[in-house]
Structure formats: C-alpha cells, structure tokens
Amino acid sequence: MAGFMRLWTPLHLAALAIAYVWLVQVSNLTTEVISGLWFFFPVGIMGAIIANATGTGGGVVFVPVFTALEKGGIMVPPELQTLASLSPQESVGVSFMIQCFGMSVGALVWGRAIFVKDTLAWDEKIAPHTLLALTAAPLATGIPALLLTQNFVSVDGKSLIFYFKIFSLLLGTVLLLFTWAQRRQPASQRKLHVTPGELWVLLGLGIIGGAVTALFSVGIGEFLAIFLILKKFPTKVAIAVAVWVSVVCVLCGVWDNLLSGQVRIEIALIAIPGAIIGGFLAKQIAQVLGSLWLKTLASLWIIASSIYLLLT
C-alpha cells in the first residue's frame, strides 16, 4: 500500500489541479466576486478541518453558511446578492463540489500517514485487508444508494432544509455523546479485526448513508465514524475510513449536481483553496487538540448551527 500511495498521491493532486483550472475557465469568476465573497475562503478551511479531522462531512459547515446567506444572515455587496443566494439544492451541490477537493486532500494525508509514514501506534495497527474491508463494504452499497437517490428521490427545498436541520441536530448530539462515552479506550479493548456481522452492518450503513449523503452532501462518513468508534476500533482508523468513504461518495455524487446546474461554481472556486488548506492541516490540528476536544468542538458547532437554523 505504501508504494500505491506514493504513486497515487501526485496523480490525484494533478487531477485536482486540472479540475480546478477547468472550473475557472467555465466560470464567471472575477476579482469583484472574489473581493465580495472572500469569506468563503475561511469557511472552506473550517469545513475541511472539521470534515477531515473528525470524519464528519464538511457539509455541516457549508450548508448552514449558505442557508444564512440565503436568509440575509450574512451581508454581501448588493451586486453579488443574486450570486450568493443559493437554493437548498444549490447549497448541497456546492457542498459536494468543495468536499471533492478538501476531502480528497484529507484522504491523501490520512493514507500517507497510515501506509507511508506508519504513524499508527503499535496497539492501533490494523491489517491492510481489514482496512480494505472497512472501506469497501459501505462503498459497495453506498454508491448505488447515493446514485439511485439522486435520480429517483425528489425533495422540495423547504423540506430539504428542514430535514437537514433535524439530521444535523441529531448527528451533533449523538457525536457529542459518543465522543465522551468513548473518551477512554484502553488498548486491551481496541478492535483490530472486523467480524462478518460487522461487515453486514457496514453494508446496511452504506445504504442509509449513501441515500442521506445524496440529499444533504453528508451522512455516510458520520454514520461510519460513530459506528466504528462505538465498536471500539481505534479513533484514528475510524476517522480515516470515514474520510476515505466520504470522498469516494462525493466524487461520485458531484456529477449529478454539476450536470443539473445545481453548483454555483464561482462560490465553490473561492472556498476550494481554503478547503485544500484545511485538508492538509486537519490531521495536524487533530493531533494538537486531541481527538476528544476536536470532536467536542465539531459537535458543538453542528448543534449550535442546527439550533440557529431552526430558530431562523
């Protein structure tokens, strides 16, 4: 796997650079748009840090910000008001696009840390075939569920945002509870192997998570991270697997949003450089703060933003 990561990393980064240049060429991005909507850059950093350091999709940051913009909660120049006001479907579409870049970088960082730099402690090391099983099982059902939901399930804008509020509030609460319930994990209790029964659960989570991700741009990574931590897999492994699965899902799901015109490319282009920076920094920030406090802060953000959306 180390050799594969050394080969894949520059290829993936080159593909991201080509994709970004292409998006710039097909967009209407100008210096006026960048100066007026510059705040999407730090939003991208914040979203990618939370996404890649906790396994929670960046949509829990992006969608609330986009919703606040649409409701006038964030002031923008009048001439950019139309561009910055996103429908619920466009908010999800832009979130997909940003995560394709930010979580790609985060996935590469986690992959290099585990397979190339071998940074897992001796009591956290999981065999490559086990990591492959933990990643492949939810993807096997998650990708079809995501694509089928995008093509056959239609939710109106108001209902979509309402369901997102409820989902985020429940997610933040559950993540906070599990973070503190599992804060002390003795090495003797850590799981380093996956059972057939757990693989069946992962297949089921892939179906649910893929469908939820299609609607909200987040879901499958959150479900996986919570389940793996609950089953006492090492926290770093749980987060890495959640990031790997999430990025594959958003890369598959972004095309439906892009081809249907649900992506405001100009907004995505401003946020993407920040998301790339956040993807690089996420693992280091997680090490400095510690997984306990990072997940706690992420949970509190999700809960607070959900309550704000419910009250506005």
Side-chain angles (χ1 to χ4, degrees):
M1 285 301 293
F4 172 79
M5 284 304 306
R6 290 192 180 96
L7 175 65
W8 180 252
T9 298
L11 292 176
H12 198 135
L13 291 175
L16 292 179
I18 293 171
Y20 189 83
V21 171
W22 175 74
L23 288 171
V24 170
Q25 291 178 339
V26 301
S27 73
N28 295 314
L29 189 66
T30 63
T31 54
E32 289 78 11
V33 172
I34 295 174
S35 62
L37 301 179
W38 62 270
F39 54 86
F40 282 116
F41 178 78
V43 168
I45 295 176
M46 180 179 176
I49 288 174
I50 290 178
N52 294 293
T54 68
T56 302
V60 296
V61 173
F62 304 138
V63 175
V65 171
F66 298 151
T67 303
L69 269 171
E70 195 271 335
K71 293 183 176 182
I74 300 176
M75 301 303 296
V76 298
E79 64 273 15
L80 299 177
Q81 192 69 50
T82 302
L83 177 64
S85 297
L86 280 69
S87 69
Q89 290 84 356
E90 288 172 330
S91 296
V92 171
V94 174
S95 177
F96 261 101
M97 179 65 73
I98 298 170
Q99 290 182 84
C100 286
F101 288 81
M103 296 199 79
S104 281
V105 173
L108 293 175
V109 170
W110 277 110
R112 288 182 61 83
I114 291 175
F115 297 116
V116 178
K117 297 181 180 179
D118 194 25
T119 58
L120 291 178
W122 66 270
D123 55 355
E124 296 178 325
K125 291 186 185 298
I126 290 185
H129 68 272
T130 301
L131 282 172
L132 178 62
L134 293 175
T135 305
L139 283 175
T141 53
I143 293 175
L146 183 148
L147 297 177
L148 288 171
T149 301
Q150 286 183 324
N151 282 277
F152 296 106
V153 177
S154 178
V155 181
D156 68 89
K158 289 185 178 180
S159 297
L160 184 64
I161 289 298
F162 175 76
Y163 294 141
F164 179 85
K165 297 171 186 178
I166 300 301
F167 170 75
S168 296
L169 184 58
L170 292 175
L171 170 67
T173 303
V174 171
L175 183 61
L176 183 62
L177 292 175
F178 277 114
T179 295
W180 283 88
Q182 301 289 327
R183 65 185 182 279
R184 293 187 180 90
Q185 190 185 65
S188 60
Q189 295 182 7
R190 288 179 183 150
K191 279 182 63 69
L192 302 179
H193 304 282
V194 61
T195 66
E198 289 165 344
L199 287 177
W200 281 108
V201 174
L202 290 172
L203 288 169
L205 288 177
I207 296 174
I208 300 170
V212 172
T213 299
L215 297 175
F216 305 138
S217 79
V218 295
I220 194 166
E222 291 80 350
F223 294 156
L224 288 176
I226 290 172
F227 173 73
L228 295 177
I229 292 172
L230 176 64
K231 297 300 292 184
K232 300 187 185 302
F233 282 92
T235 299
K236 291 179 182 178
V237 171
I239 294 172
V241 169
V243 171
W244 294 335
V245 171
S246 295
V247 73
V248 174
C249 285
V250 295
L251 286 170
C252 292
V254 71
W255 295 101
D256 180 78
N257 295 280
L258 189 60
L259 295 175
S260 61
Q262 298 291 352
V263 179
R264 293 283 179 88
I265 298 177
E266 294 78 15
I267 292 177
L269 287 172
I270 298 172
I272 284 170
I276 290 174
I277 293 172
F280 275 115
L281 296 177
K283 184 177 178 298
Q284 288 74 17
I285 291 176
Q287 290 178 331
V288 172
L289 291 179
S291 61
L292 173 65
W293 287 108
L294 188 63
K295 286 187 287 185
T296 298
L297 292 173
S299 302
L300 293 175
W301 161 265
I302 296 170
I303 293 171
S305 63
S306 302
I307 294 174
Y308 166 77
L309 292 176
L310 285 168
L311 294 177
T312 57

